[in-house]
Amino acid sequence: MRCEIRHTTEYHYPEPAWDSFNEVRLHPMQEVRQTLRSFHLDVTPEAQISSHRDYFGSLVHHVHVHEAHRHLRIEAQAMVDTHPITLPLPAPLSVIDGQVRRQHMEFLVPCPRVPRGDWPEVFGVTRPGPDDDLPDFLLNLNGFLHDKFVYDGKATTVNTPLAEFAQHGRGVCQDFTQAMLGILRQLGIPARYVSGYLYNGGGMLGADATHAWVEALIPGYGWLGYDPTNDCLAGEKHIKIGHGREYSDVSPVRGTYYGGGKGRMNVAVHVYSPQV
């Protein structure tokens, strides 16, 4: 399906700010599951913009506003065609052997938001055996986490520890995603954090902002996306921006500035299918 995306981030400052430097990760990826047709980044006031590919392959824009300003507006517009996914064939968990783990160690080791822990036991997940079907286990885990937790946009913040979410069981897509990452990595299954969008007309949770889900490695197939917030695979209604170990690797906009006082940020995300 074809999706048009408009992502607007605005900062308002009570006093003039200057030398604002921002890292912007809003450029959708080009990959088998989606085709990027166009992308445009508009910044007010006038800014110097450059870009580079980060370690994980995401296109990062660097936005520098030198002049004094009380209002900064960063708007990304994109058009993306998403494509149907194919399902993996059955495969035992034993296909993830030592060599596979060594090749993808960065998506197995602990990180600040997904620390080391006995997460399968914490979340009540029975550890699978080496002969159990990997795609089947991943799909069942996706549904289990969806049923176990309550989506609540006010229950957590971006810095809520995973252990706290495990205790209260209420949170947003980032929390659902980090729970699944913790479980899979503890089981030796490479898994990465994905940031992106949901089609607004899809009737799914998390479509009013950037969304997060998991990609798990299935040897012989590749990376397949799982969305525990909505109990579904990442399909045509999911638009991927990028992936990493955790949220901080793919945060949409972050930066620093001089002056300004305590600023206020507003974010608006619209993903829709254009009339043709």
Side-chain angles (χ1 to χ4, degrees), residues 114-245:
V114 190
R116 189 182 308 277
D118 294 325
W119 299 117
E121 288 72 28
V122 169
F123 290 112
V125 175
T126 301
R127 292 178 179 252
D131 296 327
D132 287 343
D133 183 62
L134 176 57
D136 188 57
F137 169 75
L138 292 169
L139 195 61
N140 288 336
L141 176 62
N142 198 52
F144 173 82
L145 296 178
H146 171 267
D147 294 340
K148 184 178 181 65
F149 304 132
V150 176
Y151 185 88
D152 184 346
K154 299 180 179 179
T156 58
T157 70
V158 69
N159 293 316
T160 298
L162 183 54
E164 184 176 326
F165 173 64
Q167 180 180 359
H168 299 294
R170 305 179 71 90
V172 294
C173 57
Q174 176 182 315
D175 304 298
F176 283 67
T177 295
Q178 290 175 165
M180 190 165 181
L181 289 176
I183 294 167
L184 293 180
R185 291 174 182 174
Q186 184 62 27
L187 295 174
I189 301 172
R192 56 198 192 187
Y193 185 105
V194 180
S195 175
Y197 301 107
L198 285 176
Y199 170 56
N200 285 98
M204 293 190 287
L205 297 170
D208 56 347
T210 52
H211 191 59
W213 62 91
V214 173
E215 283 183 342
L217 179 66
I218 302 174
Y221 174 88
W223 297 92
L224 183 58
Y226 294 85
D227 182 352
T229 306
N230 291 291
D231 189 17
C232 65
L233 297 177
E236 289 184 84
K237 295 178 181 179
H238 292 70
I239 301 100
K240 179 178 175 179
I241 298 173
H243 62 256
R245 297 160 299 177

